[in-house]
Amino acid sequence: MPQVEGGADIYATFRWSQKLLFDNGRFSVDIPFRFPYFVNPLPKVFMKREKIQLTVNSGFSKEVLLQGTSHPLKEKGRQGDKLSFLHEAVVENWSSKDFNFSYSVYSADLSGGVLVQPATLRDYDDRDSFCIFLLPGSGNRKVFRKAVVFIVDTSGSMQGKPLENVKDAVSSALSELVQGDYFNIITFNDELHSFSSCLEQVNEKAIASATDWMNSNFVAEGGTDIMHSLSEAMALLSSVHDALPQIYLMTDGSVDDEHNICQTMKTEIINKGSKSPRISTFGLGSHCNHYFLRMLASIGKGHYDAALETASIESRILKWFGRASSTIVANISIDAITCLDDFEVDSEYIPDISAKSPFCVSGKYHGKFPDTVIAKGYLADMKEISIELKVQHLKEIPLDKVLATQQISLLTSKAWLSADKQLERKVIKLSIQNSVPSEYTEMVLLQTNLDKADAKQKVKQKLKGRKGPDEARIPLHGLKLGFGDRDATRRNLTTGFGDERPPEKSVIMRKASGCCSQLADCFCCMCCIKACNRMNDQCAIVLAQICAALSCLGCYECCSEVCCGGSES
């Protein structure tokens, strides 16, 4: 931010995209809206006005119900599936809490629709876009009986908190299984270990034995062999006929044969047809190949999720397991495929419908969608169900923006598997078109100091790719996941989480922070600022000299400990 003169008005506009959360039939969104105390003007004569304007385009013709909000909102209008709310008030202090809003769509049964949008001149693809979505509804649909196999990575890199959190999550997931379900647990590193030689029926004794087995066998050591464990799980589930077979793979590593794993599992699933096991994948940390895991889940009609911080592992695994294990409609087919000239789905296969998450499939098409589309599938009692979906032609909702992140992730997974340069170029165009980072593009912070007189000329230079004399471009890092770190996996490095530092860096940080932070901890930043505002020039000079002397002494002590390691030579 440039230096701001006193009394000046500051206007800031922020734009971003984030995914709505769905839990217990409610959609919710949390938006940062918390202002620290020191941004409030000290004199009370300045009037502070707070305004929130919210528009909800639900995409449903059903009734939308407001469930909760952190700030008082007044409904200003309701027209079909579009609602508008407003909050405007004079406040003593800016908001001290984030803005939260949640709503539900009233429906006793499965409901949904089809959103279509014509291509524009700036689109990377000349085909039109579509999105088919379904909500599970509030009705108590029967969930499929399950035969589940948990596959847990116990390689050396999982030691400590990651493996402990995974063990706790699997124990909680076992307690959510019901009578009539089957289960088994496989751990893998260089070797493979199974809780049982066959699938066990769910009962208190079996779950207690499995918990004891995990306490003894969840030991982090050795390498990473994913293929062997997947093959063993497929063999265990091959004899299942009266339940939906499901595989849950959890790993923090990247292996050499990932392409072969995807192709092998794809062949197995095609051969087994509708009774093939669903494969859900969960990535831990940044060393694993998240695009491989996403692709494997897409091939297996399962669910993918990840945790990049150790604190979120257990909660995210339980939510992931809840979505994947609550199938109410399986083997979905869409009749629109036969009506269109060209119909391409972003995901590899159409997934099942879960009772705990919305169903959403997007893609591209050529042709004309009918007024209604029929989605068919099979319920837990193997009866066929048909769901009629009304087609809506969008004008106000920017469908391309809504779907951009999902499409970039799925297309990147396809490009990784097929090594297709044309798909990579599609991802690049989609990324640039929607200003969403991808693995094949870079995002930079562009800082400019423009005079109004030559602003137009500088903008033209930027559009042509030329860097102006007053521009500074700063690359933004940490926006990519990458395609896995096989070298880190082979060496069993455990620093694949954003909340951990490599050991050698941690030592330096502890040494450097100890001497400099103790003095700073004694002062309140706000008090310091207020005190400095009332200080005359002579006092400020003396204080600056004292601080400089103290910092030199602190840096001397820090450098002597870090560089010399405490030696007396």
Side-chain angles (χ1 to χ4, degrees):
M1 294 282 292
Q3 186 174 354
V4 179
E5 296 179 358
D9 292 332
I10 303 174
Y11 297 91
T13 301
F14 303 91
R15 293 186 179 90
W16 75 94
S17 174
Q18 69 186 71
K19 190 175 183 179
L20 288 174
L21 301 177
F22 182 84
D23 187 34
N24 293 325
R26 290 187 179 187
F27 289 99
S28 63
V29 63
D30 286 286
I31 298 174
F33 203 60
R34 185 178 311 203
F35 296 87
Y37 172 76
F38 55 78
V39 303
N40 291 288
L42 293 177
K44 294 185 177 181
V45 296
F46 291 100
M47 183 177 65
K48 293 183 280 293
R49 183 177 295 277
E50 188 175 79
K51 181 177 180 180
I52 301 172
Q53 187 172 341
L54 176 70
T55 302
V56 179
N57 285 296
S58 67
F60 283 93
S61 57
K62 306 278 185 180
E63 184 180 2
V64 175
L65 306 175
L66 175 64
Q67 295 293 344
T69 178
S70 58
H71 294 69
L73 293 177
K74 182 181 290 186
E75 187 174 324
K76 300 296 291 183
R78 184 183 289 255
Q79 184 177 0
D81 55 359
K82 183 178 179 180
L83 292 84
S84 58
F85 300 89
L86 181 67
H87 161 66
E88 190 170 9
V90 176
V91 294
E92 293 185 3
N93 294 302
W94 300 124
S95 174
S96 60
K97 57 185 177 181
D98 291 340
F99 176 75
N100 174 269
F101 179 81
S102 62
Y103 69 93
S104 62
V105 179
Y106 176 75
S107 178
D109 204 351
L110 286 162
S111 62
V114 182
L115 307 177
V116 296
Q117 191 174 63
T120 62
L121 293 175
R122 66 186 183 92
D123 281 350
Y124 75 98
D125 194 321
D126 64 349
R127 293 176 294 179
D128 299 337
S129 301
F130 74 88
C131 174
I132 301 173
F133 64 94
L134 282 160
L135 288 186
S138 56
N140 294 320
R141 287 279 183 190
K142 185 179 178 182
V143 175
F144 275 77
R145 292 176 61 191
K146 300 174 286 294
V148 306
V149 177
F150 296 97
I151 302 177
V152 180
D153 184 351
T154 56
S155 59
S157 58
M158 289 284 289
Q159 64 180 329
K161 281 288 185 181
L163 191 56
E164 284 293 323
N165 290 338
V166 170
K167 184 182 71 174
D168 293 341
V170 173
S171 297
S172 300
L174 286 175
S175 66
E176 295 181 12
L177 299 176
V178 298
Q179 289 281 350
D181 292 341
Y182 300 87
F183 78 97
N184 203 343
I185 305 170
I186 295 174
T187 63
F188 70 92
N189 40 51
D190 289 324
E191 299 177 351
L192 183 147
H193 301 278
S194 299
F195 163 64
S196 175
S197 59
C198 61
L199 293 173
E200 297 286 339
Q201 284 192 335
V202 171
N203 55 57
E204 290 185 7
K205 183 179 178 181
I207 290 177
S209 297
T211 303
D212 292 339
W213 182 85
M214 285 192 293
N215 290 332
S216 302
N217 289 272
F218 273 38
V219 179
E221 59 184 5
T224 307
D225 182 5
I226 297 176
M227 186 67 198
H228 189 191
S229 58
L230 279 171
S231 300
E232 180 68 15
M234 295 288 279
L236 284 170
L237 295 169
S238 61
S239 59
V240 174
H241 300 292
D242 56 346
L244 186 65
Q246 298 180 335
I247 296 173
Y248 297 93
L249 170 65
M250 289 158 272
T251 182
D252 75 334
S254 179
V255 293
D256 294 327
D257 59 345
E258 290 168 345
H259 287 83
N260 181 50
I261 291 172
C262 287
Q263 297 296 351
T264 303
M265 291 300 110
K266 188 173 184 178
T267 302
E268 288 272 356
I269 287 169
I270 291 173
N271 291 339
K272 293 180 182 295
S274 61
K275 296 187 179 295
S276 63
R278 275 41 176 174
I279 303 174
S280 294
T281 58
F282 192 93
L284 296 103
S286 59
H287 288 165
C288 60
N289 185 349
H290 291 273
Y291 294 102
F292 155 65
L293 296 175
R294 188 185 292 274
M295 193 66 203
L296 187 57
S298 181
I299 290 171
K301 296 184 180 180
H303 294 255
Y304 157 82
D305 204 345
L308 299 179
E309 296 178 352
T310 50
S312 64
I313 290 176
E314 186 174 353
S315 60
R316 293 191 74 97
I317 286 179
L318 289 176
K319 288 180 180 180
W320 164 73
F321 175 75
R323 291 194 304 270
S325 63
S326 303
T327 302
I328 55 176
V329 184
N331 301 319
I332 306 295
S333 62
I334 310 292
D335 70 346
I337 297 175
T338 59
C339 306
L340 300 171
D341 302 330
D342 183 13
F343 186 88
E344 181 185 354
V345 180
D346 292 328
S347 55
E348 190 72 12
Y349 294 105
I350 298 176
D352 300 328
I353 299 177
S354 169
K356 293 190 176 181
S357 67
F359 169 94
C360 179
V361 169
S362 61
K364 296 286 186 177
Y365 74 97
H366 267 313
K368 182 176 175 15
F369 256 102
D371 293 335
T372 57
V373 170
I374 304 297
K376 294 182 179 180
Y378 289 89
L379 299 171
D381 57 6
M382 298 313 295
K383 291 182 179 177
E384 189 177 40
I385 182 175
S386 296
I387 309 162
E388 187 175 285
L389 306 174
K390 184 179 178 182
V391 176
Q392 302 179 55
H393 296 270
L394 297 181
K395 295 181 179 178
E396 296 183 353
I397 302 177
L399 189 61
D400 53 344
K401 298 287 186 186
V402 173
L403 300 175
T405 303
Q406 174 180 298
Q407 288 179 334
I408 286 173
S409 297
L410 291 170
L411 289 175
T412 302
S413 301
K414 285 184 176 181
W416 165 83
L417 180 62
S418 62
D420 189 339
K421 294 297 181 182
Q422 186 175 355
L423 272 178
E424 290 182 12
R425 287 193 291 271
K426 280 188 177 182
V427 172
I428 292 170
K429 291 177 181 178
L430 192 60
S431 172
I432 295 172
Q433 176 183 318
N434 295 287
S435 301
V436 175
S438 76
E439 297 296 335
Y440 310 113
T441 53
E442 298 286 348
M443 181 172 281
V444 298
L445 177 66
L446 181 65
Q447 182 177 344
T448 58
N449 300 315
L450 302 180
D451 295 329
K452 291 183 179 180
D454 60 346
K456 287 186 178 181
Q457 184 64 30
K458 297 290 177 65
V459 169
K460 288 180 180 179
Q461 289 180 355
K462 186 173 68 172
L463 291 174
K464 293 179 180 179
R466 293 200 297 268
K467 184 177 177 180
D470 297 326
E471 293 181 358
R473 298 185 181 184
I474 305 169
L476 300 179
H477 301 290
L479 301 177
K480 300 181 181 183
L481 288 172
F483 296 100
D485 191 335
R486 295 177 188 176
D487 181 60
T489 302
R490 293 189 196 99
R491 294 162 58 195
N492 275 331
L493 297 183
T494 58
T495 56
F497 292 92
D499 50 4
E500 297 181 4
R501 293 189 184 97
E504 64 275 8
K505 291 185 180 178
S506 297
V507 173
I508 296 173
M509 289 300 293
R510 283 198 301 271
K511 297 286 186 183
S513 62
C515 58
C516 305
S517 63
Q518 291 175 0
L519 184 63
D521 290 341
C522 300
F523 295 95
C524 164
C525 291
M526 194 61 204
C527 295
C528 257
I529 293 171
K530 289 181 178 179
C532 291
N533 284 337
R534 293 174 171 82
M535 192 180 296
N536 61 34
D537 294 342
Q538 288 78 11
C539 289
I541 293 170
V542 171
L543 182 61
Q545 290 173 341
I546 293 172
C547 290
L550 290 174
S551 64
C552 287
L553 289 173
C555 289
Y556 174 78
E557 179 191 354
C558 169
C559 292
S560 64
E561 289 191 32
V562 174
C563 301
C564 302
S567 73
E568 298 182 5
S569 59

